[in-house]
Amino acid sequence: MPEKQLLHLVIGGELEDLEHNTFRDLSKIDLVGAYASHAEAVAAWRRKAQETVDNALMRYFIIHAHKLLDPGKDPQQD
């Protein structure tokens, strides 16, 4: 049986400061991609984070889009 698809998005960009998750310029957000599993998203996140390690203000995030698509679902079922 195939693994259940749980949509994850990986995005990143330069933050205004290290205290808040506020992007400096929303027009420059890097949409890395959409992934069917958390493991695939983590691999993409790790790759992009390593590529930008020299920029202290650059951050990448994993968004659990499947939770946004079905907000009433029990989080314990993920």
Side-chain angles (χ1 to χ4, degrees), residues 4 13 34 60 70:
K4 183 177 178 184
Y60 282 85
D70 192 3

Side-chain angles (χ1 to χ4, degrees), residues 9-15 23 25-26 28-33 45 48 57-63:
L9 303 176
V10 178
I11 68 165
E14 196 167 46
L15 301 180
F23 292 105
D25 184 349
L26 289 177
K28 294 183 180 177
I29 292 291
D30 180 11
L31 176 57
V32 178
W45 168 84
K48 292 302 285 190
L57 293 175
M58 188 65 101
R59 293 288 191 273
Y60 282 85
F61 301 91
I62 297 174
I63 299 171

Side-chain angles (χ1 to χ4, degrees), residues 11-74:
I11 68 165
E14 196 167 46
L15 301 180
E16 288 185 357
D17 59 54
L18 296 176
E19 302 286 319
H20 306 92
N21 289 336
T22 304
F23 292 105
R24 181 170 283 171
D25 184 349
L26 289 177
S27 70
K28 294 183 180 177
I29 292 291
D30 180 11
L31 176 57
V32 178
Y35 302 91
S37 73
H38 187 259
E40 290 174 308
V42 167
W45 168 84
R46 192 177 317 271
R47 184 178 63 253
K48 292 302 285 190
Q50 284 296 317
E51 288 174 8
T52 60
V53 72
D54 291 335
N55 183 344
L57 293 175
M58 188 65 101
R59 293 288 191 273
Y60 282 85
F61 301 91
I62 297 174
I63 299 171
H64 299 264
H66 59 93
K67 292 181 181 181
L68 300 173
L69 295 171
D70 192 3
K73 184 179 173 198
D74 181 0

